[in-house]
Amino acid sequence: MEVPFLDLKAQHQSIKSKILPKWEEILENAAFVGGPHLDAFEKRFAEHCGAEQCIAVGNGTDALQLIFDALGIGHGDEVIVPDNTFIATAEAVSKVGGTPVFVDVLPDTYNIDPEKVEAAITPKTKCIVPVHLYGQTADMDTILEIGNRHGIFVVEDSAQAHLAEYKGRRAGSMGIAAGFSFYPGKNLGACGEAGAITTSDLDLAARIRQLRDHGSSQKYVHQQVGYNSRCDALQAAALLVKLDHLPAWNEARRANARLYLGQLEAEEGIRLPIVNRDCLPVWHLFVIQVEDRNAVQRELRDRGIATALHYPIPLHMQEAYKFLGYDRGAFPVTESYTERLLSLPMYPELSADQIHYVCENVKELVAGKPVSKGVALAG
Ligand SMILES: *Cc1c(COP(=O)(O)O)cnc(C)c1O
């Protein structure tokens, strides 16, 4: 049996007939930028997230960068980000001139550790960026309380958490603003690149709207130095079609997660993802821990099962961030995971038979190799 890590072809088969007429209409009218599809998508995505405004942009990294820029974050400012995330979270900080300050994650949910956030705050700290990693929201009440108490912004990186919930509130409705990615493999993916910002701060929304379009609200009149980061009409039309399916797709991911959890539960060689009871996750990824991960991954590949690593190198150990001067051992929790993490196939169209096949093979490969519990220092 073949089990791909992600099967985007299957997803688009089911909705192609709804997207193509819209794309044909856009081609007929040659209305490629802005327009009714974009307006409709922004309105509906904001509603889905429980935010007042949505501003669609070129990609998820730009979404974060535009937020930081619009909040006035720049040279000399520190922004706290988790060490275990995709590099885009930190890149967006660097690109506005700020300094990312990495913080370790919690050993159970992989999300940023609020106690360590508190400890990392200095007079230069301007913002905390919880990433709702793998589709589960961070401990938002605690983080928002820390932000309030210190008078610093909280910006959600919601790139992996479209419609995820925390105590009934949606990702993208809790911080001052949130960045979303619609990279094709995300829970809501464009047919190319796109991203969005959600916020209920109307002034901030207006500044971001200007920034995405060369700092302009009126053609050739520029109030500020901005960016070219618009979302085109073809992407907006596809996203609008796909948004209608998103709740059902997320539900299918949750059903798949239940199958995985049920079938892998009794296996001492596997550490399963832990769901915080305050959260309704959307399972962007299903990440387990196993010993001898590289060997397990290779053997699964030979048996037709594709897996992935999120993430193989923590941010503080990336060449790109060597200049920040972090040492190996600085973030023991993240470092201890790195060599054990394994992302199993996860997408709505995954069949029960495929999940069963994955589980049987993973169990066979890890049998008799219990996952070490301690937080061991790497290196
Ligand atoms: C995908 C992703 C981004 C960046 O989104 P792009 O659309 O690829 O620029 C940012 N943060 C996280 C956590 C992501 O997973």
Side-chain angles (χ1 to χ4, degrees), residues 99-181:
T99 303
V101 172
F102 303 135
V103 160
D104 215 347
V105 298
L106 290 162
D108 51 358
T109 61
Y110 306 107
N111 273 322
I112 196 163
D113 183 339
E115 269 181 34
K116 296 191 177 131
V117 167
E118 181 99 52
I121 290 173
T122 75
K124 292 180 180 170
T125 309
K126 288 283 153 55
C127 185
I128 308 166
V129 188
V131 179
H132 304 314
L133 201 70
Y134 309 150
Q136 173 164 220
T137 49
D139 179 0
M140 288 305 291
D141 276 352
T142 313
I143 293 165
L144 289 166
E145 188 277 321
I146 294 170
N148 274 335
R149 186 152 38 79
H150 292 271
I152 53 189
F153 300 119
V154 174
V155 169
E156 299 167 73
D157 182 338
S158 300
Q160 304 189 0
H162 315 73
L163 312 191
E165 289 181 17
Y166 175 84
K167 298 185 180 174
R169 284 174 281 162
R170 288 263 162 101
S173 69
M174 295 176 276
I176 178 86
F180 285 87
S181 166

Side-chain angles (χ1 to χ4, degrees), residues 59-61 85-86 88-89 131 157 159-160 181 186:
N59 57 68
T61 312
T85 178
F86 182 53
T89 318
V131 179
D157 182 338
Q160 304 189 0
S181 166
K186 299 289 159 86

Side-chain angles (χ1 to χ4, degrees), residues 166-354:
Y166 175 84
K167 298 185 180 174
R169 284 174 281 162
R170 288 263 162 101
S173 69
M174 295 176 276
I176 178 86
F180 285 87
S181 166
F182 306 127
Y183 185 75
K186 299 289 159 86
N187 287 37
L188 177 61
C191 302
E193 302 269 359
I197 293 117
T198 56
T199 181
S200 294
D201 182 318
L202 301 185
D203 290 336
L204 182 65
R207 287 203 297 283
I208 294 172
R209 261 181 218 291
Q210 272 191 0
L211 275 181
R212 79 166 165 188
D213 197 9
H214 301 286
S216 160
S217 324
Q218 189 191 336
K219 210 170 172 75
Y220 303 128
V221 181
H222 306 275
Q223 279 84 8
Q224 52 181 333
V225 175
Y227 302 75
N228 176 0
S229 189
R230 295 172 298 235
C231 171
D232 66 72
L234 293 169
Q235 299 310 332
L239 286 166
L240 191 55
V241 168
K242 293 176 85 170
L243 182 54
D244 281 341
H245 296 262
L246 183 59
W249 285 338
N250 281 342
E251 197 47 56
R253 285 174 185 269
R254 282 194 277 267
N256 291 342
R258 281 194 293 275
L259 289 178
Y260 271 131
L261 291 169
Q263 290 175 45
L264 298 176
E265 190 178 44
E267 182 53 63
E268 62 165 3
I270 300 170
R271 181 138 178 212
L272 289 170
I274 290 169
V275 177
N276 184 319
R277 61 188 160 76
D278 294 326
C279 299
L280 181 63
V282 292
W283 298 101
H284 174 57
L285 295 168
F286 190 90
V287 179
I288 62 170
Q289 288 181 49
V290 295
E291 297 297 333
D292 295 328
R293 189 267 322 278
N294 293 348
V296 171
Q297 183 176 41
R298 253 193 321 274
E299 186 59 35
L300 288 172
R301 191 185 307 138
D302 291 344
R303 298 178 187 196
I305 299 166
T307 58
L309 308 180
H310 299 89
Y311 291 91
I313 307 172
L315 291 187
H316 76 284
M317 283 160 68
Q318 296 283 357
E319 184 74 30
Y321 280 120
K322 214 173 161 179
F323 73 95
L324 291 176
Y326 289 101
D327 293 324
R328 185 179 273 261
F331 304 105
V333 179
T334 299
E335 286 179 38
S336 74
Y337 287 157
T338 301
E339 282 161 21
R340 292 201 296 258
L341 293 176
L342 184 67
S343 304
L344 300 181
M346 172 52 88
Y347 44 93
E349 298 79 10
L350 199 61
S351 73
D353 283 348
Q354 286 174 310

